[in-house]
Amino acid sequence: MTPSPERTFRSVAPVIALCWLVVFFDGMDVNLYGAVLPHLVDDPDLGFTPSTAGTIGSWTTFGMLVGALGCGTLTDWAGRKPMVTGSVVLFSLGSALCALAPSAAYFGAGRFVSGLGLGGLMPIGLAIVAEFAPPRRAALATGLMMTSYHAGGMAATGLGLALGPGHGWRLVFWTGVLPAAVAVPLVWKWLPESPGVLLAKGRVREAEAVAARYLLPAPTPAEAPEAGARGRFAAVAALLAPGRRLATPLLWLASFAGLLLVYGVSTWLPELMRASGYSLSSSVTFLMVINAGGIVGMLVAGRTADRFGAVKVSAVWFLLTACGAFLLRAQLPLGVAYAVVFVTGIWLFSAQVMVYAATPSVYPPAQRATGLGWVTGVGRTGAVVGPWLGGAVVAGGNASLGFTTFAVAAVLGAVAISLVPLVRGKGSDPGTVRAVPRVLGHSEGKILPKH
């Protein structure tokens, strides 16, 4: 009997590439704000202050919270493709509103609209990659996809440096409309739907065709999300079922700490570095440097997590982030500061992403998008707190306190994610544990062993 071919990165390359593209635009849109924030503060017509800027940054992440909670739950029912398309259209519309904003309040409304789309997109992309990733390469696939977020952040910083001084911040936000024109047609034509979702809709032949094309296991009724409002409620309730009752809140807490770091640093690093005595151009460049570190970190973390487990890597990376943030309290020479920021970027962003990489192993396939949606959604409260907290610290003129705050958040994330396998091993749902090796590979099975 001829063995069936194994799913590889080549066989699922179109899916990973499309996810990479939309998350690239996600990262670009998120970082546009931080890239032009000094110009926004210096624009007398808008009336921005550090405190106002922090509040608007929090409105963005509040929109992300709403988008992640709603979209993650709806995706299991409505399907991946429509929700990806809607999310991209929403954050492109928000960028257009920002480009046209006559006041800080109007600008904040635009960032809230962007946040709805940005928050919805991430859990969908993560669920797609978790489903289509090659066996034993789930964490690496997640890391590869998330390099695009930081490539988008670097692109946003480059746009801010190139266009902001000479052409103004409005033109920078007009570039945020490009995703609707570029990504939406490609997604609608080429992104496959989840076989489980197709099966739930009664489209059995299509589900089997997608599974066969991408070498996925044939979907079963157990992997199909239950339809209707009752199904969506059941998917949320299942997050706190026996075996996940303690693990789920710990994942939420780890995500809270990680997203506080990601969005607090992405929004306020330039201003914190400027408050520490660095020039305006150098301060903005730090944002590009930390995102470059983030790209390297995703690749390193993904490969390491496929070997040792995403939980262990996330915990260690959080602790290393705390060390880097604490070092930035000192006024370092410019070259040393760039090096520390780059290395901190390696740990900071991938610590959060490894929380996402560990999440699918806690939930069965039918609840996976919902679980990821709630981990990212509840975590968005940290993304709301991060920019607001950074604004309060900068307004007080104490950059050192800002870096200390980020270090404490990193330690909190390390503790929370470290406890997940301990509580997950008690009263585990055997069906969930059995699903881990098939979907995520052997290494993730080591994180959540059978008992």
Side-chain angles (χ1 to χ4, degrees):
M1 180 177 179
T2 304
S4 59
E6 186 177 72
R7 190 162 71 255
T8 64
F9 275 111
R10 177 176 293 184
S11 64
V12 297
V15 180
I16 302 294
L18 283 171
C19 290
W20 195 98
L21 178 66
V22 295
V23 175
F24 170 87
F25 285 126
D26 182 301
M28 188 180 85
D29 196 289
V30 168
N31 285 277
L32 284 178
Y33 186 54
V36 300
L37 186 54
H39 301 291
L40 290 167
V41 172
D42 292 341
D43 187 339
D45 295 330
L46 281 178
F48 263 62
T49 65
S51 179
T52 302
T55 300
I56 289 176
S58 293
W59 270 104
T60 309
T61 49
F62 180 69
M64 290 179 178
L65 185 156
V66 176
L69 292 178
C71 203
T73 302
L74 289 173
T75 299
D76 278 329
W77 169 72
R80 274 52 161 170
K81 184 182 292 190
M83 301 305 291
V84 168
T85 302
S87 295
V88 173
V89 169
L90 265 180
F91 70 71
S92 297
L93 174 63
S95 286
L97 293 174
C98 289
L100 296 168
S103 66
Y106 195 104
F107 185 94
R111 290 305 288 169
F112 176 77
V113 172
S114 287
L116 292 174
L118 294 167
L121 183 61
M122 189 64 72
I124 308 172
L126 291 165
I128 292 171
V129 169
E131 183 173 13
F132 284 81
R136 298 174 297 279
R137 292 291 182 267
L140 178 57
T142 301
L144 282 171
M145 185 194 78
M146 291 302 296
T147 62
S148 62
Y149 180 91
H150 302 287
M154 293 178 68
T157 306
L159 288 168
L161 289 170
L163 301 178
H167 302 279
W169 58 267
R170 294 182 188 274
L171 182 58
V172 177
F173 274 98
W174 277 120
T175 65
V177 182
L178 290 175
V182 175
V184 167
L186 295 174
V187 166
W188 198 252
K189 183 173 177 62
W190 297 109
L191 185 69
E193 187 53 85
S194 163
V197 172
L198 291 172
L199 185 65
K201 292 178 177 292
R203 295 155 63 180
V204 179
R205 289 186 179 180
E206 290 180 60
E208 292 174 346
V210 171
R213 180 176 180 181
Y214 294 99
L215 305 178
L216 298 170
T220 64
E223 296 177 4
E226 187 179 346
R230 178 180 176 182
R232 296 195 293 278
F233 176 80
V236 174
L239 303 183
L240 297 173
R244 296 185 287 273
R245 192 165 291 153
L246 297 177
T248 291
L250 285 170
L251 287 170
W252 291 351
L253 182 59
S255 185
F256 168 87
L259 287 171
L260 186 154
L261 284 165
V262 168
Y263 288 94
V265 170
S266 295
T267 301
W268 286 109
L269 182 63
E271 284 294 300
L272 286 172
M273 299 309 285
R274 187 159 72 156
S276 296
Y278 300 96
S279 68
L280 174 60
S281 61
S282 295
S283 298
V284 174
T285 305
F286 279 116
L287 195 59
M288 180 176 287
V289 170
I290 201 167
N291 276 289
I295 292 176
V296 175
M298 294 300 167
L299 299 175
V300 173
R303 292 184 67 87
T304 307
D306 277 329
R307 182 174 180 182
F308 297 104
V311 168
K312 292 178 183 177
V313 171
S314 180
V316 172
W317 263 227
F318 269 125
L319 291 176
L320 290 170
T321 298
C323 294
F326 194 77
L327 282 174
L328 289 174
R329 295 173 70 253
Q331 291 188 343
L332 304 169
L334 183 60
V336 176
Y338 278 135
V340 172
V341 167
F342 177 82
V343 172
T344 302
I346 292 176
W347 318 125
L348 187 154
F349 298 105
S350 49
Q352 170 64 26
V353 171
M354 289 304 103
V355 174
Y356 297 151
T359 296
S361 61
V362 176
Y363 305 109
Q367 280 85 47
R368 191 155 292 144
T370 299
L372 281 163
W374 278 75
V375 167
T376 56
V378 175
R380 295 294 177 190
T381 57
V384 172
V385 170
W388 169 81
L389 192 59
V393 170
V394 170
N398 191 343
S400 176
L401 179 59
F403 290 119
T404 301
T405 301
F406 292 143
V408 171
V411 172
L412 176 64
V415 172
I417 195 65
S418 295
L419 292 174
V420 169
L422 300 179
V423 301
R424 182 65 183 90
K426 299 176 181 179
S428 297
D429 176 0
T432 302
V433 176
R434 284 196 299 269
V436 171
R438 179 180 59 75
V439 177
L440 290 180
H442 178 68
S443 63
E444 287 299 333
K446 291 190 293 186
I447 298 174
L448 304 174
K450 299 178 184 178
H451 288 279

